[in-house]
Amino acid sequence: MKDRRWVKIILLGMGIAVLCYAFVSMHDSRGTIKYSEHLDDTAFTVDGYEVTFKDLAFYILYEERVVEEQARIYNPDSTKDYWNIHSNNSFIQMEAKDAVFGMAVHDYLFYQLAVAEGMDTLTPAEEQDLEFATNDFWEDLLDIQWEKLPCDEDTINSQIRIAAIAEKYQNYLAEANGPSQAAYKYDGYYYGLILEEHEVDINDKLWDRFVMGDITLHHSKINYINGWTDEKEEKSKE
């Protein structure tokens, strides 16, 4: 009888192990993925115009830099803490991720509209402004981002140009229709009305599996509780 009980226990343990392995395997298959391995995959389409994940490089570099600089102020010992803050029913990480997609969809939509209306060229003055903006972008880039640059500089520069043309079209709409330039930014009300007239298809299956904040940055240190620093840790030991 005892032997049978042990057999049942062993079989039960093996069954649990198999179920756990299956669960972990399923979780891993839906887990995070590397951005660098999906550069040529479609990120979204705007009215059938295909935009790849590589086309988002400029926006990812920009947004990750901005948030990381804020994170260094919040907790220089563990910047990941800031990315993990939960505010306004969302995490900073997710807000940054939404901003990337919002800016990218906005710019590629307005770029297409500018092309359709023959407004995709820049004046000499606008070219100079673009040159200044491009130089500022590269000068502000963090050292780690240079090491983890997702694609070549020329590709990113072309994305900055698309953003400049989109901004030119944005200004044109504001001057022609009012009420302000802000109303036509990616989070503006009037832009939202324009967006509703166009078809946007997002590749959520892949985009949801990228970890914003770890694409062109690196966070390896174990995090403290948000706001906890090495200095506070030492004081707590006194």
Side-chain angles (χ1 to χ4, degrees):
M1 292 294 293
K2 290 183 178 180
D3 289 341
R4 290 182 179 179
R5 288 179 182 177
W6 278 112
V7 169
K8 289 181 179 179
I9 292 173
I10 292 172
L11 289 175
L12 178 61
M14 291 176 63
I16 293 174
V18 170
L19 288 174
C20 289
Y21 176 79
F23 175 79
V24 171
S25 297
M26 180 179 68
H27 177 74
D28 288 344
S29 67
R30 298 178 182 178
T32 60
I33 56 177
K34 292 183 179 180
Y35 172 78
S36 60
E37 295 177 356
H38 297 273
L39 296 178
D40 294 325
D41 289 332
T42 300
F44 63 86
T45 58
V46 180
D47 295 336
Y49 180 84
E50 184 178 297
V51 179
T52 67
F53 283 107
K54 181 167 61 177
D55 297 325
L56 303 185
F58 159 63
Y59 302 94
I60 292 172
L61 285 162
Y62 171 80
E63 190 65 19
E64 287 199 331
R65 175 187 64 79
V66 170
V67 176
E68 184 70 3
E69 288 177 343
Q70 296 168 349
R72 289 180 175 180
I73 297 173
Y74 178 79
N75 186 359
D77 293 325
S78 179
T79 56
K80 189 66 174 180
D81 285 352
Y82 184 78
W83 287 89
N84 289 337
I85 289 178
H86 189 267
S87 177
N88 298 323
N89 297 319
S90 180
F91 290 95
I92 296 294
Q93 175 185 335
M94 296 308 300
E95 292 176 1
K97 202 171 185 181
D98 290 342
V100 166
F101 239 92
M103 290 187 291
V105 171
H106 169 278
D107 286 357
Y108 279 97
L109 170 58
F110 274 15
Y111 174 75
Q112 287 299 105
L113 295 177
V115 170
E117 296 189 32
M119 299 176 59
D120 55 324
T121 57
L122 300 176
T123 66
E126 291 168 341
E127 286 285 359
Q128 189 173 48
D129 289 340
L130 173 59
E131 183 179 354
F132 290 149
T134 302
N135 289 338
D136 287 343
F137 169 80
W138 290 112
E139 289 175 1
D140 292 340
L141 215 59
L142 303 177
D143 290 341
I144 184 63
Q145 291 184 297
W146 277 105
E147 296 174 14
K148 299 186 66 175
L149 207 62
C151 56
D152 62 275
E153 294 179 36
D154 288 340
T155 297
I156 295 171
N157 286 340
S158 68
Q159 295 163 10
I160 299 175
R161 174 174 290 275
I162 286 174
I165 293 172
E167 184 177 11
K168 178 178 180 176
Y169 189 77
Q170 172 182 299
N171 295 338
Y172 157 74
L173 291 176
E175 292 175 4
N177 306 318
S180 66
Q181 181 186 9
Y184 295 93
K185 289 185 177 181
Y186 80 94
D187 55 353
Y189 175 76
Y190 279 79
Y191 163 69
L193 296 179
I194 294 174
L195 184 62
E196 290 177 356
E197 300 174 356
H198 298 270
E199 184 178 349
V200 178
D201 185 18
I202 299 175
N203 186 354
D204 290 320
K205 290 182 178 180
L206 288 182
W207 180 242
D208 288 347
R209 295 170 64 189
F210 294 124
V211 179
M212 192 67 186
D214 290 333
I215 297 177
T216 68
L217 300 173
H218 179 67
H219 299 101
S220 61
K221 186 176 180 179
I222 298 176
N223 304 315
Y224 297 125
I225 297 173
N226 283 348
W228 196 254
T229 63
D230 286 340
E231 183 180 355
K232 292 180 180 178
E233 175 74 6
E234 290 302 318
K235 287 184 178 179
S236 70
K237 296 177 181 178
E238 296 177 356

